[in-house]
Amino acid sequence: MVILIKQSSGIKSSEITPKSIYLNRRRFMQRSLAGSVLLGMNAMLPAWAKPWEGIANSAFSTSEKPNTLEAITTYNNFYEFGTGKSDPSKNARNFTPRPWSIAVEGECARPGVFDLEDFIKSETIEERIYRLRCVEGWSMVIPWAGFSLADMLKKFEPTSKAKFVEFTTLFDKSRMPGQERRVLNWPYVEGLRIDEAMNELPIMAVGLYGDVLPNQNGAPIRLVVPWKYGFKSIKSIVKIRFTETQPSTTWNIAAPREYGFYSNVNPAVDHPRWSQAKETRIGEPFWKPKHKTLMFNGYGEQVAKLYEGMDLKKFF
Amino acid sequence: MKSEGLTSIKSIAKSHTFQFFIMSSPSSTTISFIIKPVVFLACLLPFVMLVYAAFMGSLGVNPVETLTLETGSWALRFLLITLSVTPLRMITGQSWLIKLRRMLGLFAFFYVSLHFTTYIWFDQYFDWAAIVKDIPKRPFITVGFSAFVLLIPLVLTSTNKMMRRLKRNWTKLHSLVYVIAVLGVLHFLWLVKADTREPLIYAGILLVLLGYRAYQQRFVKSR
């Protein structure tokens, strides 16, 4: 069983999520998960597809208004399901994120291959409402359900040689039709420096709006690193590897001048082809001016210390 | 010898059955009062649909992106449609098609202007300092902007009067459209992140249209 009931005095997700959105979300999930599941028949869902009940809202959550479930689930960059923004919502419809296992490898004392349910059963799932800034110049506010990446990584007891953590997405053309074309060097690989990974902000997300994570958002489990451009937050993870050297990451391989290993949100360092000073906040009227992009996407208080003394123009 | 294939296409095009199939040239009254207005309205349709979508709030999750992409795509499409008038006219022998070319070209400029306006207004929100910095700094914007600027003299000299006044120079000046189309395709190609399939389709069509002209110049006209 995966239902984690946390006895917490914190705010329930139902209290922070506007009711209309909450109800709309329910309807949406019921429609999208299985056409046969009628209203109120959650009991018919497999255990893994049930909503996260009674999870607490994290202190790291922003108080900004989250985007609608519709925007979050129909406007995705997930090239494994097509390169168009609306492709993932269509092409991931038949993706079944079970059975799922995660291999933990490399410089750690407790490597292994774990079934997803075992992998997450001892984790504390909470709601984290984070800003997401895409390298393309748009941003959203997303209410994830997930758990601390640092807490999880520590359980595998990384050794002193573990300087980086590498993550890999599933590579299976029959399940991810976008992988038929080599638009990127499959499988998708991302990475963090170990101290970045051990920061309190990154989470492994397993849900959205209190429900199970939709396929197009990286089901069943994805990374969320809110101070970096969205492509660092790798989806549908099947492998985690502790390494001594910096991993080669997918977009960095595709265009090394444009997508650095760090890829911290930084309004002062432009993408070579466009400015990063401003962003379009999805959901706001298009005739209004854009938002100014914040250093580290506004998470400087938690993460600026990681980069002290580093030339962020060089290590972009 | 080399032009045999094309000559046979031409002979088919000029054959009676084919002429009957597409009918003989329409009268100038039909062109002025039926064909031109219909084509005009058809060309306006993408614009009408965008305005409608904007008012209905159905421009998608990222409306600025939709507006930018749609106006840009239509600008490029109209450039290619304009460039296909001459080959189409030569292959089908329907020389009256030339009478639609100016309108199609002006519509290309219309959509380029909408594309540029979207950039100035919704993308940059009249931040002139940022715009002036952006245009020379980003190669894809530099080529796109150049294409826009180069279109202006063509628009200004598109009248019958200017055509008569400039004589031979008019043709020379208006061959700039080839440069503009190449810049337009480059603009698209240089802005995509990884999936170049769509801009490459435009590049392929442009290559065929320019290739046809080069072939005509080299093997047909010079004989």
Side-chain angles (χ1 to χ4, degrees), chain A residues 12-50:
Chain A
K12 283 185 183 170
S13 69
S14 56
E15 285 166 31
I16 49 115
T17 307
K19 196 167 183 197
S20 60
I21 293 172
Y22 182 85
L23 290 174
N24 187 33
R25 168 237 299 182
R26 270 299 152 81
R27 249 178 283 129
F28 179 88
M29 291 310 292
Q30 268 139 5
R31 247 185 298 144
S32 63
L33 273 173
S36 62
V37 179
L38 298 169
L39 215 84
M41 292 184 80
N42 267 337
M44 278 178 68
L45 292 173
W48 61 263
K50 286 182 181 170

Short mmCIF file of all heavy atoms in Angstrom, two decimals, chain A residues 12-50:
data_model
loop_
_atom_site.label_atom_id
_atom_site.label_comp_id
_atom_site.label_asym_id
_atom_site.label_seq_id
_atom_site.Cartn_x
_atom_site.Cartn_y
_atom_site.Cartn_z
N LYS A 12 -3.76 21.28 5.55
CA LYS A 12 -4.08 20.25 4.57
C LYS A 12 -4.12 20.86 3.18
O LYS A 12 -4.45 22.02 3.01
CB LYS A 12 -5.45 19.65 4.87
CG LYS A 12 -5.41 18.66 6.02
CD LYS A 12 -6.77 18.02 6.17
CE LYS A 12 -6.80 17.08 7.35
NZ LYS A 12 -8.17 16.65 7.64
N SER A 13 -3.83 20.01 2.19
CA SER A 13 -3.79 20.53 0.82
C SER A 13 -5.16 21.04 0.39
O SER A 13 -5.27 21.98 -0.39
CB SER A 13 -3.31 19.47 -0.14
OG SER A 13 -4.28 18.46 -0.26
N SER A 14 -6.21 20.43 0.94
CA SER A 14 -7.55 20.87 0.55
C SER A 14 -7.85 22.28 1.05
O SER A 14 -8.75 22.94 0.56
CB SER A 14 -8.60 19.89 1.07
OG SER A 14 -8.46 19.77 2.47
N GLU A 15 -7.10 22.70 2.03
CA GLU A 15 -7.33 24.04 2.57
C GLU A 15 -6.62 25.12 1.76
O GLU A 15 -7.05 26.27 1.73
CB GLU A 15 -6.88 24.12 4.02
CG GLU A 15 -7.85 23.42 4.96
CD GLU A 15 -7.26 23.20 6.33
OE1 GLU A 15 -6.44 24.02 6.76
OE2 GLU A 15 -7.61 22.19 6.96
N ILE A 16 -5.52 24.74 1.14
CA ILE A 16 -4.79 25.76 0.38
C ILE A 16 -5.19 25.77 -1.10
O ILE A 16 -4.99 26.74 -1.79
CB ILE A 16 -3.25 25.63 0.52
CG1 ILE A 16 -2.84 24.19 0.26
CG2 ILE A 16 -2.77 26.09 1.86
CD1 ILE A 16 -2.02 23.99 -0.92
N THR A 17 -5.77 24.70 -1.55
CA THR A 17 -6.17 24.65 -2.95
C THR A 17 -7.58 25.19 -3.10
O THR A 17 -8.48 24.76 -2.40
CB THR A 17 -6.13 23.18 -3.44
OG1 THR A 17 -4.86 22.64 -3.15
CG2 THR A 17 -6.40 23.10 -4.93
N PRO A 18 -7.76 26.16 -3.99
CA PRO A 18 -9.12 26.67 -4.17
C PRO A 18 -10.09 25.55 -4.51
O PRO A 18 -9.74 24.64 -5.26
CB PRO A 18 -8.98 27.63 -5.35
CG PRO A 18 -7.53 27.93 -5.46
CD PRO A 18 -6.81 26.77 -4.88
N LYS A 19 -11.28 25.63 -3.95
CA LYS A 19 -12.19 24.50 -4.07
C LYS A 19 -12.58 24.20 -5.52
O LYS A 19 -12.68 23.04 -5.91
CB LYS A 19 -13.46 24.73 -3.24
CG LYS A 19 -14.22 23.42 -3.05
CD LYS A 19 -15.28 23.51 -2.00
CE LYS A 19 -15.94 22.16 -1.80
NZ LYS A 19 -17.20 22.25 -1.11
N SER A 20 -12.75 25.27 -6.30
CA SER A 20 -13.16 25.04 -7.69
C SER A 20 -12.11 24.25 -8.43
O SER A 20 -12.40 23.31 -9.17
CB SER A 20 -13.41 26.37 -8.38
OG SER A 20 -12.23 27.14 -8.37
N ILE A 21 -10.87 24.59 -8.19
CA ILE A 21 -9.77 23.89 -8.85
C ILE A 21 -9.72 22.45 -8.35
O ILE A 21 -9.54 21.50 -9.10
CB ILE A 21 -8.44 24.61 -8.59
CG1 ILE A 21 -8.44 25.96 -9.28
CG2 ILE A 21 -7.25 23.77 -9.07
CD1 ILE A 21 -7.26 26.84 -8.94
N TYR A 22 -9.92 22.32 -7.05
CA TYR A 22 -9.85 21.01 -6.42
C TYR A 22 -10.90 20.08 -7.02
O TYR A 22 -10.61 18.96 -7.41
CB TYR A 22 -10.08 21.19 -4.92
CG TYR A 22 -9.98 19.91 -4.13
CD1 TYR A 22 -8.74 19.46 -3.70
CD2 TYR A 22 -11.12 19.18 -3.80
CE1 TYR A 22 -8.64 18.29 -2.96
CE2 TYR A 22 -11.01 18.01 -3.07
CZ TYR A 22 -9.78 17.57 -2.64
OH TYR A 22 -9.69 16.42 -1.92
N LEU A 23 -12.11 20.60 -7.13
CA LEU A 23 -13.19 19.78 -7.69
C LEU A 23 -12.94 19.48 -9.16
O LEU A 23 -13.11 18.36 -9.63
CB LEU A 23 -14.53 20.49 -7.53
CG LEU A 23 -15.03 20.57 -6.08
CD1 LEU A 23 -16.29 21.40 -6.02
CD2 LEU A 23 -15.27 19.18 -5.49
N ASN A 24 -12.48 20.51 -9.86
CA ASN A 24 -12.18 20.37 -11.27
C ASN A 24 -11.12 19.30 -11.47
O ASN A 24 -11.18 18.48 -12.37
CB ASN A 24 -11.68 21.71 -11.79
CG ASN A 24 -11.51 21.69 -13.29
OD1 ASN A 24 -12.26 21.01 -13.98
ND2 ASN A 24 -10.53 22.41 -13.78
N ARG A 25 -10.15 19.31 -10.58
CA ARG A 25 -9.06 18.35 -10.63
C ARG A 25 -9.58 16.92 -10.48
O ARG A 25 -9.20 16.00 -11.18
CB ARG A 25 -8.07 18.69 -9.52
CG ARG A 25 -7.04 17.64 -9.24
CD ARG A 25 -7.04 17.18 -7.81
NE ARG A 25 -6.75 18.24 -6.88
CZ ARG A 25 -6.68 18.02 -5.57
NH1 ARG A 25 -6.86 16.82 -5.08
NH2 ARG A 25 -6.47 19.01 -4.76
N ARG A 26 -10.51 16.78 -9.52
CA ARG A 26 -11.11 15.48 -9.30
C ARG A 26 -11.78 14.96 -10.56
O ARG A 26 -11.57 13.85 -11.00
CB ARG A 26 -12.17 15.57 -8.20
CG ARG A 26 -11.64 15.31 -6.84
CD ARG A 26 -11.06 13.93 -6.75
NE ARG A 26 -10.02 13.84 -5.76
CZ ARG A 26 -10.23 13.69 -4.47
NH1 ARG A 26 -11.44 13.60 -4.01
NH2 ARG A 26 -9.22 13.63 -3.64
N ARG A 27 -12.55 15.85 -11.14
CA ARG A 27 -13.27 15.47 -12.35
C ARG A 27 -12.29 15.07 -13.45
O ARG A 27 -12.45 14.07 -14.11
CB ARG A 27 -14.15 16.64 -12.82
CG ARG A 27 -15.63 16.37 -12.66
CD ARG A 27 -16.45 17.55 -13.10
NE ARG A 27 -16.46 18.61 -12.10
CZ ARG A 27 -16.17 19.87 -12.36
NH1 ARG A 27 -15.84 20.26 -13.58
NH2 ARG A 27 -16.20 20.77 -11.41
N PHE A 28 -11.23 15.90 -13.56
CA PHE A 28 -10.24 15.65 -14.59
C PHE A 28 -9.57 14.29 -14.41
O PHE A 28 -9.44 13.50 -15.32
CB PHE A 28 -9.18 16.75 -14.55
CG PHE A 28 -8.10 16.58 -15.57
CD1 PHE A 28 -8.24 17.11 -16.84
CD2 PHE A 28 -6.94 15.87 -15.26
CE1 PHE A 28 -7.24 16.95 -17.79
CE2 PHE A 28 -5.95 15.70 -16.21
CZ PHE A 28 -6.10 16.24 -17.47
N MET A 29 -9.17 14.04 -13.17
CA MET A 29 -8.46 12.79 -12.89
C MET A 29 -9.36 11.60 -13.16
O MET A 29 -8.94 10.58 -13.68
CB MET A 29 -7.97 12.75 -11.44
CG MET A 29 -6.86 13.72 -11.14
SD MET A 29 -5.47 13.64 -12.30
CE MET A 29 -4.82 12.01 -11.89
N GLN A 30 -10.62 11.76 -12.78
CA GLN A 30 -11.54 10.64 -12.97
C GLN A 30 -11.73 10.36 -14.45
O GLN A 30 -11.82 9.22 -14.86
CB GLN A 30 -12.87 10.92 -12.28
CG GLN A 30 -12.87 10.35 -10.87
CD GLN A 30 -13.51 11.26 -9.87
OE1 GLN A 30 -14.05 12.29 -10.22
NE2 GLN A 30 -13.46 10.88 -8.62
N ARG A 31 -11.74 11.43 -15.22
CA ARG A 31 -11.91 11.24 -16.65
C ARG A 31 -10.64 10.64 -17.27
O ARG A 31 -10.71 9.77 -18.11
CB ARG A 31 -12.20 12.59 -17.32
CG ARG A 31 -13.60 12.64 -17.89
CD ARG A 31 -13.81 13.92 -18.63
NE ARG A 31 -13.68 15.07 -17.74
CZ ARG A 31 -13.15 16.21 -18.10
NH1 ARG A 31 -12.64 16.38 -19.29
NH2 ARG A 31 -13.08 17.21 -17.25
N SER A 32 -9.49 11.16 -16.84
CA SER A 32 -8.27 10.79 -17.53
C SER A 32 -7.70 9.45 -17.06
O SER A 32 -7.06 8.75 -17.82
CB SER A 32 -7.23 11.88 -17.37
OG SER A 32 -6.90 12.02 -16.01
N LEU A 33 -7.89 9.11 -15.81
CA LEU A 33 -7.29 7.87 -15.32
C LEU A 33 -7.94 6.65 -15.94
O LEU A 33 -7.29 5.75 -16.42
CB LEU A 33 -7.39 7.79 -13.80
CG LEU A 33 -6.24 8.46 -13.06
CD1 LEU A 33 -6.52 8.48 -11.58
CD2 LEU A 33 -4.92 7.78 -13.36
N ALA A 34 -9.23 6.61 -15.92
CA ALA A 34 -9.93 5.48 -16.51
C ALA A 34 -11.35 5.92 -16.81
O ALA A 34 -12.06 6.38 -15.93
CB ALA A 34 -9.93 4.30 -15.57
N GLY A 35 -11.76 5.77 -18.05
CA GLY A 35 -13.08 6.22 -18.44
C GLY A 35 -14.18 5.52 -17.67
O GLY A 35 -15.27 6.06 -17.46
N SER A 36 -13.88 4.31 -17.20
CA SER A 36 -14.90 3.53 -16.52
C SER A 36 -15.12 3.96 -15.08
O SER A 36 -16.11 3.61 -14.46
CB SER A 36 -14.52 2.06 -16.56
OG SER A 36 -13.30 1.89 -15.87
N VAL A 37 -14.16 4.71 -14.57
CA VAL A 37 -14.28 5.10 -13.16
C VAL A 37 -15.26 6.26 -13.04
O VAL A 37 -15.01 7.35 -13.54
CB VAL A 37 -12.91 5.48 -12.58
CG1 VAL A 37 -13.07 5.91 -11.13
CG2 VAL A 37 -11.97 4.31 -12.68
N LEU A 38 -16.35 6.02 -12.42
CA LEU A 38 -17.35 7.06 -12.29
C LEU A 38 -17.09 7.86 -11.02
O LEU A 38 -16.30 7.48 -10.15
CB LEU A 38 -18.75 6.45 -12.25
CG LEU A 38 -19.13 5.69 -13.54
CD1 LEU A 38 -20.40 4.90 -13.31
CD2 LEU A 38 -19.29 6.63 -14.71
N LEU A 39 -17.78 8.98 -10.95
CA LEU A 39 -17.62 9.87 -9.81
C LEU A 39 -17.72 9.12 -8.48
O LEU A 39 -18.64 8.35 -8.26
CB LEU A 39 -18.71 10.94 -9.90
CG LEU A 39 -18.31 12.32 -9.42
CD1 LEU A 39 -17.61 13.07 -10.54
CD2 LEU A 39 -19.53 13.08 -8.95
N GLY A 40 -16.77 9.35 -7.63
CA GLY A 40 -16.83 8.77 -6.30
C GLY A 40 -16.44 7.32 -6.22
O GLY A 40 -16.56 6.69 -5.19
N MET A 41 -15.95 6.77 -7.33
CA MET A 41 -15.60 5.35 -7.30
C MET A 41 -14.09 5.15 -7.24
O MET A 41 -13.53 4.29 -7.90
CB MET A 41 -16.20 4.65 -8.50
CG MET A 41 -17.72 4.60 -8.39
SD MET A 41 -18.46 3.67 -9.72
CE MET A 41 -18.22 2.00 -9.14
N ASN A 42 -13.45 5.97 -6.44
CA ASN A 42 -12.00 5.87 -6.29
C ASN A 42 -11.56 4.47 -5.85
O ASN A 42 -10.45 4.06 -6.11
CB ASN A 42 -11.51 6.88 -5.25
CG ASN A 42 -11.09 8.18 -5.91
OD1 ASN A 42 -10.78 8.19 -7.10
ND2 ASN A 42 -11.10 9.25 -5.16
N ALA A 43 -12.46 3.77 -5.19
CA ALA A 43 -12.15 2.45 -4.68
C ALA A 43 -11.74 1.49 -5.79
O ALA A 43 -11.02 0.53 -5.56
CB ALA A 43 -13.35 1.89 -3.93
N MET A 44 -12.23 1.79 -7.00
CA MET A 44 -11.93 0.91 -8.11
C MET A 44 -10.52 1.11 -8.67
O MET A 44 -10.04 0.31 -9.45
CB MET A 44 -12.95 1.12 -9.23
CG MET A 44 -14.23 0.35 -9.00
SD MET A 44 -15.40 0.68 -10.32
CE MET A 44 -14.59 -0.12 -11.69
N LEU A 45 -9.89 2.20 -8.30
CA LEU A 45 -8.56 2.49 -8.82
C LEU A 45 -7.54 1.54 -8.20
O LEU A 45 -7.68 1.14 -7.05
CB LEU A 45 -8.16 3.92 -8.48
CG LEU A 45 -8.93 5.04 -9.16
CD1 LEU A 45 -8.50 6.38 -8.56
CD2 LEU A 45 -8.67 5.04 -10.66
N PRO A 46 -6.48 1.19 -8.97
CA PRO A 46 -5.41 0.44 -8.33
C PRO A 46 -4.78 1.30 -7.23
O PRO A 46 -4.86 2.53 -7.27
CB PRO A 46 -4.43 0.18 -9.47
CG PRO A 46 -4.77 1.15 -10.54
CD PRO A 46 -6.22 1.47 -10.37
N ALA A 47 -4.18 0.65 -6.26
CA ALA A 47 -3.65 1.37 -5.10
C ALA A 47 -2.75 2.54 -5.50
O ALA A 47 -2.85 3.63 -4.94
CB ALA A 47 -2.89 0.41 -4.20
N TRP A 48 -1.91 2.32 -6.52
CA TRP A 48 -0.95 3.38 -6.87
C TRP A 48 -1.60 4.60 -7.50
O TRP A 48 -1.00 5.67 -7.57
CB TRP A 48 0.15 2.82 -7.77
CG TRP A 48 -0.32 2.26 -9.09
CD1 TRP A 48 -0.56 0.95 -9.37
CD2 TRP A 48 -0.60 2.97 -10.30
NE1 TRP A 48 -0.96 0.79 -10.67
CE2 TRP A 48 -1.00 2.01 -11.26
CE3 TRP A 48 -0.55 4.32 -10.67
CZ2 TRP A 48 -1.35 2.36 -12.57
CZ3 TRP A 48 -0.90 4.66 -11.97
CH2 TRP A 48 -1.30 3.69 -12.91
N ALA A 49 -2.84 4.45 -8.00
CA ALA A 49 -3.49 5.56 -8.69
C ALA A 49 -4.36 6.40 -7.77
O ALA A 49 -5.00 7.35 -8.19
CB ALA A 49 -4.31 5.02 -9.85
N LYS A 50 -4.41 6.01 -6.50
CA LYS A 50 -5.26 6.76 -5.57
C LYS A 50 -4.62 8.08 -5.16
O LYS A 50 -3.39 8.18 -5.11
CB LYS A 50 -5.53 5.90 -4.34
CG LYS A 50 -6.52 4.79 -4.66
CD LYS A 50 -6.84 3.96 -3.45
CE LYS A 50 -7.81 2.86 -3.86
NZ LYS A 50 -8.00 1.88 -2.81
#
